Amino acid sequence: MDSTAEAPATAAGSLHSWDLSSGVDGPGTRLVLFLAGCPLRCLYCQNPDTWQERDGAQTSVAAVMTKVRRYQKIFSRTGGGVTLSGGEPLLQPRFAAAVLHACAEAGVSTALDTSGALGARAFDELLLDTDLVLLDIKAFAPHTYSRITGGGDLAPTLRFAQRLARLERRVWLRFVLVPGLNDAPAEVEALADFVADLGNVERVDVLPFHKLATPKYEAMGIAFPLIDRPVPTLDQAAAVRAIFTARGLRTT
């Protein structure tokens, strides 16, 4: 759906939390806004506390921009800006669009951290106000993707990736590596071929799966699904990066 609907400046949304980060959520120092709510239930999710939209606090674009302007000088010095994350920011497309547009009007760089599962909800205007998309493709085989995400469908994410390419939007691909789950060489090679053909992916971040969110799960009284899964070795991560690098893609 390439809606031309306008996102009103008065849009309100559900914000779970925010943070300042450097180097992991886009270039420079970033104000990361974690929007509440996500349709996926990924096995390695690090933010299970953001799954429900009702668990966020209602806020306005004006309130967000007051916070953004507080850090605008830092953004200018470091080449940073604002990143919308979550949760899944496209679960609240009108609010996300309004924040991104307000940032763009204020001259603040913007990034959208998304699984792409709800990419059809992103208006073209929203994407044109987004300087960088951090696109998380969790696996390339549909059955692997479904297993990781708790029943999700891979196809919308791939369509979104192709749409971003048609719109010539900058993309950093994210791939969370889980040994024995999504590291089969044939699957990674197929993903690398797809990504290389897009032509707009500036780099691929191969992110080794970790268990830092375990205390969150314990506090919520739910089991961390991958608690017994080993984290990737350096050699395993290097082997996956080499597959992307062989297609001419820059990796981290």
Side-chain angles (χ1 to χ4, degrees):
M1 178 182 71
D2 290 353
S3 170
T4 57
E6 293 184 359
T10 55
S14 179
L15 181 66
H16 177 271
S17 56
W18 62 275
D19 195 8
L20 280 180
S21 75
S22 295
V24 294
D25 298 294
T29 299
R30 315 292 304 183
L31 174 64
V32 185
L33 303 172
F34 297 94
L35 275 60
C38 183
L40 303 180
R41 293 295 179 267
C42 297
L43 295 176
Y44 50 69
C45 179
Q46 296 298 300
N47 297 314
D49 47 336
T50 68
W51 284 344
Q52 303 297 333
E53 189 171 344
R54 63 175 178 270
D55 290 339
Q58 285 294 304
T59 190
S60 66
V61 176
V64 168
M65 292 309 296
T66 296
K67 194 182 303 294
V68 169
R69 292 189 181 92
R70 187 185 309 164
Y71 299 105
Q72 201 158 357
K73 290 184 179 178
I74 297 177
F75 302 152
S76 297
R77 288 199 299 268
T78 65
V82 171
T83 297
L84 298 191
S85 184
E88 170 50 66
L90 293 180
L91 193 64
Q92 303 181 57
R94 291 171 67 80
F95 179 60
V99 171
L100 291 167
H101 186 66
C103 287
E105 285 196 322
V108 175
S109 174
T110 58
L112 177 68
D113 180 9
T114 176
S115 70
L118 300 180
R121 295 190 180 191
F123 323 139
D124 280 355
E125 289 83 354
L126 181 158
L127 297 177
L128 294 175
D129 283 329
T130 303
D131 297 313
L132 174 67
V133 178
L134 309 174
L135 180 61
D136 180 7
I137 300 183
K138 303 167 191 300
F140 199 68
H143 66 278
T144 306
Y145 184 91
S146 178
R147 181 182 175 193
I148 290 174
T149 58
D153 180 8
L154 171 64
T157 292
L158 300 186
R159 289 196 295 268
F160 184 58
Q162 292 165 329
R163 182 176 162 211
L164 291 172
R166 289 195 299 273
L167 292 173
E168 300 181 338
R169 309 315 298 163
R170 296 172 56 210
V171 171
W172 290 4
L173 184 84
R174 291 182 153 184
F175 179 72
V176 178
L177 172 62
V178 186
L181 185 59
N182 62 356
D183 63 340
E187 286 194 32
V188 179
E189 289 171 0
L191 174 60
D193 287 340
F194 173 81
V195 173
D197 285 345
L198 292 173
N200 63 326
V201 176
E202 295 183 352
R203 71 184 221 188
V204 178
D205 297 332
V206 177
L207 306 173
F209 147 73
H210 60 72
K211 306 178 185 180
L212 297 178
T214 301
K216 283 187 184 179
Y217 282 85
E218 292 174 347
M220 295 174 66
I222 55 178
F224 182 37
L226 299 182
I227 189 64
D228 296 324
R229 178 82 52 164
V231 300
T233 66
L234 292 176
D235 286 345
Q236 287 173 320
V240 169
R241 290 190 181 99
I243 292 174
F244 288 101
T245 302
R247 273 74 175 172
L249 296 162
R250 184 163 70 95
T251 62
T252 65

